Amino acid sequence: MQRSTGEYKVKPIKKTVRELLGHPYPPRIPKGVFVEQWVGISTDEFHRAKDADVKYMRNRHPLLDLDWSRTDCVRYLTSRGRAETPKSSCLGCPFHGNAQWRHIRDTSPSEWADVVEFDAAIRQGNARANASGNRLLGEAFLHRSRVPLSQAPIDHVTAAERAALRLGEGEADELENGVVDGCSPWACRGDADTPTQDDFGLAA
Ligand code: SF4
């Protein structure tokens, strides 16, 4: 799961962008034809601002242009009456905290069904990676407890989770509220150069 950014995120984005440009795969896209994508990376996470890897997508980072930190964003949203704006994220992000999983379960049954199905589908790893010899050792789960999402303890942090992590306050908060820092499909925390759940000792 952790090294699946290309397969699960960037690839579908590229497919849609090509369709929007009127040049669906496979023909080459004419020179000079591109989309500009705005990616909301704030100054706290400037190292996650990355270029797209194809010429027909150009990434812009308007929050960096404005020199806005996360605090600046929250202040602005609050001034516009949007203080409760949630952090955007992929539906099946393995860095969700219990609060985010509950929100999906309790507000969007179809998305919950989708993500439960996805969780079951990744148990043996990414089919393409397996086929190319990069077989997953162990099993993958979206929830940190390593329990299938449909049965995972998302209504509370279990004693076993606390003990396993020997939690400090910040880590306990992360189990409930997820990772606060920003990301994007080009700078997913699940990529090899960013921390993964393995680093927390919980993923398969
Ligand atoms: S870390 Fe960010 S980009 Fe990666 S799966 Fe989670 S929400 Fe998506």
Side-chain angles (χ1 to χ4, degrees), residues 97-104 154 175-177:
N98 287 339
Q100 287 143 310
W101 290 126
R102 285 196 302 276
H103 181 74
I104 299 170
I154 64 173
L175 280 179
E176 173 62 12
N177 296 311

Side-chain angles (χ1 to χ4, degrees), residues 1 4-5 9 48 87-96 179 181-191 194:
M1 177 59 198
S4 60
T5 294
K9 294 183 277 291
R48 293 190 184 280
K87 175 180 179 289
S88 66
S89 62
C90 302
L91 191 59
C93 176
F95 297 92
H96 283 333
V179 174
D181 292 339
C183 57
S184 86
W186 286 271
C188 174
R189 335 193 136 267
D191 284 351
T194 54

Side-chain angles (χ1 to χ4, degrees), residues 158-172 175 200-202:
T158 64
E161 284 175 312
R162 284 181 191 279
L165 280 175
R166 290 185 292 279
L167 295 177
E169 199 140 303
E171 288 156 311
L175 280 179
F200 305 126
L202 282 174

Side-chain angles (χ1 to χ4, degrees), residues 75-146:
R75 190 178 298 129
Y76 174 76
L77 289 167
T78 304
S79 76
R80 310 295 290 189
R82 306 264 179 199
E84 301 308 317
T85 305
K87 175 180 179 289
S88 66
S89 62
C90 302
L91 191 59
C93 176
F95 297 92
H96 283 333
N98 287 339
Q100 287 143 310
W101 290 126
R102 285 196 302 276
H103 181 74
I104 299 170
R105 180 194 66 187
D106 299 343
T107 63
S108 180
S110 62
E111 287 185 328
W112 178 247
D114 220 20
V115 82
V116 164
E117 188 184 330
F118 177 65
D119 174 63
I122 61 166
R123 202 69 72 236
Q124 304 310 321
N126 177 319
R128 180 173 296 199
N130 284 336
S132 65
N134 294 315
R135 203 169 59 78
L136 180 70
L137 301 175
E139 294 184 309
F141 297 85
L142 287 180
H143 193 266
R144 292 165 190 256
S145 62
R146 286 185 284 178

